[in-house]
Amino acid sequence: LPAGLSQWFPALEVLDVSGTGLTEMGTELLSLPCLHTLLAKNNRLGGSGSLPKGLGQAPLARSLRVLNLSGNRFSEVPPALLQLRGLRSLSLGGNRLHGIPPDIQELHSLEFLYLGGNFITAIPPELAKLPSLRYLVLCDNKIQSIPPQLAQLHSLRSLSLHNNLLTYLPREILNLVHLEELSLRGNPLVVRFVRDLTYNPPSLQELAGRTVKTRNVPYAPSDLPDSLVRYLSLASNCPNPKCGGVYFDSCVRQIKFVDFCGKYRLPLMHYLCSPECSSPYSSASQSSTSQSESDSEDEASVAAHRMQKVLLG
């Protein structure tokens, strides 16, 4: 960036330096207290000195609302960007990112996040702690699964996941009550479905924890080590309405196919506490499984009615 920029334009609000071959942005950027939009697309940023030191402590950290660094060479999200707490829109598409840092949760004001066209393989659950996020674009990556925690993004309107490696979706995604657009085309789930049942026997600790939770055994923090108190707080209820059990680390992963928009059979992942909840040899289990699938169908029909656009092919 040219020296003296802040002296020439002290009230500058929008700066577009896209396509200029930039390899770094200098400290002049830190002296622009009114800047709210910075566009630096299609450059050569991505090295260790690409962003000025002290970015998170500069006035810019409070004023900047829109930052677009798409089409550069970043291999990771620069930690300095996670200190721009006023950001509402962040674009890092078409870079070389291999992951999303858990500290992304610090950007509480973020409404638009574009990370398409990278090499991201996993989504951290912490991403679900962005209370204002409305548009999330993760297309054209290598993502294999969606954490169920994303259902906590209650403000989400649009979710783009096309051209990834998804073979199923978590059932919880149907709880995104404001979601209007869901893009899934170009994923294996569209042309190939997974029907695997996997189950690892529970540990002695889990068996004890299940007994404590299902039988409502009373305990106080003074009775147990802190680690066990935290462990017991992580119990998940089995979704089988006939079961009433809980699980911790050991569960049955089962794909349920539900009608979506009256046209698609969408694979949703269910987590059951034991094989007995889905065993075809138990009439009670059959009834439970049928009820569970019916519940999923109802949820899907409600979600389908709510959606304005679903892109599966």
Side-chain angles (χ1 to χ4, degrees):
L1 296 178
L5 183 64
S6 59
Q7 297 176 0
W8 300 336
F9 306 105
L12 192 66
E13 296 183 354
V14 179
L15 177 61
D16 188 350
V17 291
S18 300
T20 56
L22 276 180
T23 58
E24 63 179 53
M25 291 188 284
T27 55
E28 285 296 320
L29 191 65
L30 305 180
S31 303
L32 297 171
C34 301
L35 192 69
H36 60 70
T37 300
L38 175 58
L39 310 177
K41 302 178 292 180
N42 304 324
N43 284 298
R44 291 182 289 170
L45 301 169
S48 59
S50 294
L51 303 179
K53 293 181 179 180
L55 181 62
Q57 289 73 45
L60 187 67
R62 295 185 295 274
S63 66
L64 201 61
R65 297 290 181 266
V66 177
L67 177 60
N68 193 325
L69 295 173
S70 292
N72 280 283
R73 301 177 179 179
F74 290 101
S75 59
E76 62 179 15
V77 178
L81 297 189
L82 304 178
Q83 299 179 41
L84 303 177
R85 304 298 169 80
L87 272 186
R88 295 177 184 171
S89 175
L90 174 61
S91 299
L92 281 164
N95 277 274
R96 302 171 181 176
L97 304 179
H98 287 266
I100 305 172
D103 287 344
I104 193 80
Q105 65 181 311
E106 301 299 329
L107 300 179
H108 296 297
S109 300
L110 207 60
E111 299 176 6
F112 178 91
L113 179 59
Y114 190 104
L115 297 173
N118 283 286
F119 302 96
I120 297 169
T121 58
I123 303 173
E126 288 81 4
L127 188 63
K129 297 181 180 180
L130 296 175
S132 303
L133 196 63
R134 295 166 60 89
Y135 301 92
L136 177 58
V137 182
L138 294 167
C139 60
D140 300 293
N141 279 286
K142 299 181 181 299
I143 298 168
Q144 299 183 42
S145 64
I146 304 299
Q149 288 86 353
L150 282 196
Q152 299 169 19
L153 290 172
H154 300 301
S155 298
L156 202 63
R157 298 293 193 276
S158 177
L159 177 58
S160 295
L161 294 166
H162 52 272
N163 298 333
N164 276 285
L165 302 175
L166 298 172
T167 54
Y168 65 86
L169 297 175
R171 178 185 182 181
E172 289 81 0
I173 201 169
L174 300 177
N175 296 329
L176 293 172
V177 296
H178 295 296
L179 194 66
E180 298 172 355
E181 295 183 357
L182 174 63
S183 179
L184 294 168
R185 66 182 186 274
N187 280 282
L189 63 82
V190 177
V191 296
R192 185 180 75 249
F193 300 115
V194 178
R195 296 179 180 271
D196 292 340
L197 277 176
T198 60
Y199 183 67
N200 294 318
S203 64
L204 290 176
Q205 177 174 283
E206 174 149 353
L207 288 173
R210 290 186 181 197
T211 301
V212 169
K213 302 297 286 188
T214 56
R215 298 188 179 182
N216 295 317
V217 177
Y219 66 90
S222 58
D223 300 328
L224 300 170
D226 291 342
S227 59
L228 288 181
V229 173
R230 286 194 299 270
Y231 180 79
L232 289 170
S233 70
L234 297 176
S236 298
N237 293 320
C238 181
N240 186 336
K242 302 288 187 178
C243 174
V246 300
Y247 63 88
F248 294 86
D249 303 311
S250 177
C251 62
V252 173
R253 299 170 67 247
Q254 185 180 45
I255 298 291
K256 291 288 186 182
F257 298 87
V258 299
D259 285 326
F260 203 80
C261 294
K263 182 177 180 181
Y264 305 105
R265 293 288 288 177
L266 196 62
L268 301 181
M269 180 64 78
H270 289 235
Y271 298 91
L272 302 170
C273 68
S274 71
E276 284 73 21
C277 282
S278 57
S279 172
Y281 301 106
S282 167
S283 58
S285 296
Q286 281 185 317
S287 173
S288 300
T289 302
S290 175
Q291 178 65 44
S292 179
E293 185 162 2
S294 175
D295 292 344
S296 295
E297 296 277 2
D298 292 341
E299 289 174 312
S301 64
V302 171
H305 176 74
R306 193 173 64 233
M307 296 281 183
Q308 293 182 2
K309 184 185 294 182
V310 180
L311 301 175
L312 282 167

